[in-house]
Amino acid sequence: MKKILLLGAGRSAASLIRYLLTHAAANGWHLTIGDVAVEHLQQTVAGLPYAEVLVFDVHNRAQRAAEVSKADLVISMLPAVFHPEVAKECVKQGKHLLTASYVTPVLRELHEEALQKNLLLLMESGLDPGIDHMSAMAVLQQLRGKGARLLSFKSYTGGLVAPESDNNPWHYKFTWNPRNVVLAGQSTSKYIQDGTYKYIPYPQLFRRTETIQVKGYGAFEGYANRDSLSYREPYGLTEIPTMLRGTLRRPGYCAAWDALVQLGMTDDSYQLENSENLTCRQFTEAFLPPASGDLQQVQQRVGAYLNLPIGSDVLQKLEWLGLFTDAPVALARATPAQVLEKILQKKWRLESGDKDMIVMQHQFVYELNGKKRELKSSLVVKGEDEVHTAMAKTVGLPVGILAKLLLQGRISQRGVVIPIHPAIYEPVLEELKQYGVNFVEQEREW
Amino acid sequence: MKKILLLGAGRSAASLIRYLLTHAAANGWHLTIGDVAVEHLQQTVAGLPYAEVLVFDVHNRAQRAAEVSKADLVISMLPAVFHPEVAKECVKQGKHLLTASYVTPVLRELHEEALQKNLLLLMESGLDPGIDHMSAMAVLQQLRGKGARLLSFKSYTGGLVAPESDNNPWHYKFTWNPRNVVLAGQSTSKYIQDGTYKYIPYPQLFRRTETIQVKGYGAFEGYANRDSLSYREPYGLTEIPTMLRGTLRRPGYCAAWDALVQLGMTDDSYQLENSENLTCRQFTEAFLPPASGDLQQVQQRVGAYLNLPIGSDVLQKLEWLGLFTDAPVALARATPAQVLEKILQKKWRLESGDKDMIVMQHQFVYELNGKKRELKSSLVVKGEDEVHTAMAKTVGLPVGILAKLLLQGRISQRGVVIPIHPAIYEPVLEELKQYGVNFVEQEREW
């Protein structure tokens, strides 16, 4: 009997839980699911001898230690901020850990101790980071095997709404943490292009997009992630002249989001005065120069301020959000970003029956036998419904599969590891195909 | 014999030192000047029985305690970051303290203890903050005395170059800490206009300027300071519908500075890769999208990127800075802001014989006897040369005068205080007139 402790049973854990429960009996697992709220899981585990739920408070040190001590493997789907404490507990007690979150400097410091204790802390094992690493490394290995020299690698991922559920002018709905969407890109974005380091400050980020075509799904626009440089080394691409990692949205999103950025609505650094008494229109007005002349309507004033014609797509998107209405903000001591998040949550909610869609595309340019070629590797995954979303599936399934491989003793790496080793990613990518997580490759001369 | 310990003998202390030495003998003062570098003062104090210089290291706790213990009054012109330590030492040892720096929350916490020990910690006593408080309060007192109701108060200050020494297209030279000029405005600026709170994010700040006319000196442009709200209470203006504090530049400066902001050159949050090997042109290129088509020249590319016509004033100002040249940056592990500061320091240096200029203007709108009136109170001070600058004079003289008043026992306030009390500011403003620091008032119907 192998004991798995899963911490965190939020939205993105639905598919992971289903995977673990499906494979538990055959593999001899016992699964304990801990979260602050577990009522929604009581029925799922009812009558299953190999599963239980547990009200778990990550801040409760004694409980944390006690539960970790009983486990053979800890999987954490908690917010990333809790991972240093969880990881330290695992290392202390000699337990393997599996997460979908980034390796931060604090976590990297545990590498030596984990190695000494023969432990695996396998991080960045969800979608992005996760499937992006695995699928990119698989292509890179194939190209290297042929003797190709890599000239450019660009990789984009987006969590979007599926076309059949897309009924808003932003062509976007929330499928993960809304706060992260609102705050995205606030640090300067860094990448390298033709051997030149490039830096995009926040006020330019949503203007410097590239158009990405995905066969059968049309056009997307990509904006650069904060750090496209740090994966050059783990990917073995330290000499590559061009490398960019980005986020995908539907065309038009970025121009409209840029308007919110330029207004100052994504600012999370200060609290608005009197935010609880503002209407949405007053919230918008707070960012505008004082009214003058005949420009009295807030929509006209936003247009004049940001140089957007009345009737333009951008102004229509802002209007659709309700930013020019007298609806109350009703949020006390709020930052602009918190007010905006509240407004967006009403408008961008995944409704019952809605399907989301994950889109990922890697673009490689390489030289082989004196010829330049481009290879695109694209993934599209649609959700089943608003619970078993494509996001939950693509984040949770690789974690579930890796848990299985780890408990079956098929992963020999130790220390703080990300899934860039063939022995790790090959079986994951293979099994993911059964779930419709399948990359399509297109190649052409460049 | 009263002992004054002056900490910090940098550029802005020149006029203060001259004032203190001039008045020392008659007032029975002994002046000790401590700084990390004091060679430049050896000759100034040579042969003066009432003055000495001292190599002083603010990080040396023992020396700090020893020197403070000998003093009756400590004046600190050190960078503001050192003031918590200096102020705590003063309170501990029961010494009065005088500075030209802002009251921060840490310093405000010393208020009660200072009161109990009958000590005065008189802060914000230079130019801005300092003369701005004193001169504004003097006008406000006069208006209130007449029964006026205040509708609007805007106050602008700028440290600029005098017209006769203005030989560059930015019409600006450094007269104080260049780093602060480069980083100015990075937090969202807050003010209130017609009863509505307004927030200007950094990427809009240098676009939302107002034109300010100063009689005899032409036009200036003002951009909003970070916080125009917190002085409403100390000024007794909690109900005022409009209040703005701003910084003055010559027309055209802000549009060109905005280009640097939009490029990302004022960013201090990350280090450039390989900064030591960049040329100025490559530094500029790092912020541009990759070259494409026939736009190969970096100046053309900046123009196309920021929508600036070739030959425009803004592009000419950037060209004049040398941003399109192959001159080496030669600064290792530098942030963009640090590189920009280095480039600016070469171009915006106050040369031998150059005169600087301080400009301050308060704009009051008030209602009296059913009529609306506007009162402008303006100050222009020019420097003598590149050492006795208008900046050094207007920062140092009020500090010197307040030191005299304090040691003469003419200031009864205690605790952490700023110069908003008539008993403090009236004699200072009166004496400042002798030094040409004189406000001119203009009034008209509004």
Side-chain angles (χ1 to χ4, degrees), chain B residues 379-400:
Chain B
L379 170 72
V380 178
V381 181
K382 287 192 192 173
E384 296 167 28
D385 54 42
E386 78 282 6
V387 175
H388 290 95
T389 58
M391 181 63 83
K393 203 164 154 177
T394 52
V395 171
L397 286 177
V399 173

Side-chain angles (χ1 to χ4, degrees), chain B residues 280 283 321 323 329 339-347:
Chain B
C280 288
F283 171 63
L321 289 179
L323 290 174
V329 158
V339 171
L340 179 61
E341 181 185 335
K342 190 179 171 191
I343 292 169
L344 294 174
Q345 276 191 311
K346 277 186 217 157
K347 305 294 286 186

Side-chain angles (χ1 to χ4, degrees), chain A residues 153-357:
Chain A
F153 172 44
K154 296 184 178 183
S155 177
Y156 300 91
T157 306
L160 302 154
V161 63
E164 54 267 46
S165 303
D166 177 0
N167 55 2
N168 82 50
W170 290 77
H171 311 300
Y172 186 79
K173 296 186 183 185
F174 285 128
T175 59
W176 69 305
N177 190 340
R179 181 169 162 82
N180 290 1
V181 175
V182 172
L183 301 184
Q186 302 215 353
S187 303
T188 295
S189 296
K190 303 171 203 175
Y191 68 105
I192 186 166
Q193 173 93 32
D194 301 323
T196 303
Y197 289 105
K198 294 287 184 184
Y199 308 91
I200 312 180
Y202 187 50
Q204 304 297 336
L205 183 62
F206 296 96
R207 299 172 173 191
R208 281 173 63 174
T209 58
E210 297 199 25
T211 299
I212 287 91
Q213 298 286 345
V214 180
K215 214 176 166 181
Y217 294 89
F220 298 84
E221 54 190 20
Y223 66 85
N225 288 352
R226 176 178 181 171
D227 183 7
S228 295
L229 302 178
S230 64
Y231 287 102
R232 287 179 300 171
E233 198 173 319
Y235 282 19
L237 295 172
T238 48
E239 302 298 319
I240 197 164
T242 298
M243 184 152 166
L244 174 78
R245 288 161 59 88
T247 297
L248 291 177
R249 293 290 182 260
R250 281 294 190 182
Y253 176 101
C254 290
W257 189 262
D258 181 58
L260 303 178
V261 171
Q262 300 299 331
L263 286 167
M265 288 185 177
T266 62
D267 198 330
D268 200 44
S269 69
Y270 67 93
Q271 289 182 353
L272 294 159
E273 303 277 334
N274 201 22
S275 66
E276 64 275 28
N277 294 323
L278 295 177
T279 65
C280 288
R281 185 181 54 70
Q282 288 169 331
F283 171 62
T284 303
E285 286 227 334
F287 303 104
L288 296 176
S292 67
D294 43 335
L295 282 184
Q296 295 302 326
Q297 296 299 315
V298 68
Q299 181 165 358
Q300 289 178 298
R301 289 169 56 203
V302 170
Y305 182 51
L306 299 180
N307 204 15
L308 300 167
I310 295 298
S312 62
D313 284 354
V314 172
L315 276 187
Q316 285 180 22
K317 286 191 180 70
L318 303 192
E319 185 176 23
W320 181 85
L321 289 179
L323 291 174
F324 311 137
T325 70
D326 290 327
V329 158
L331 199 62
R333 293 179 304 284
T335 67
Q338 288 167 340
V339 171
L340 179 61
E341 182 185 333
K342 190 179 172 193
I343 293 170
L344 294 173
Q345 276 191 314
K346 278 185 216 156
K347 305 296 287 188
W348 287 355
R349 195 189 355 239
L350 219 49
E351 302 291 344
S352 176
D354 270 356
K355 292 183 181 182
D356 70 326
M357 178 171 74

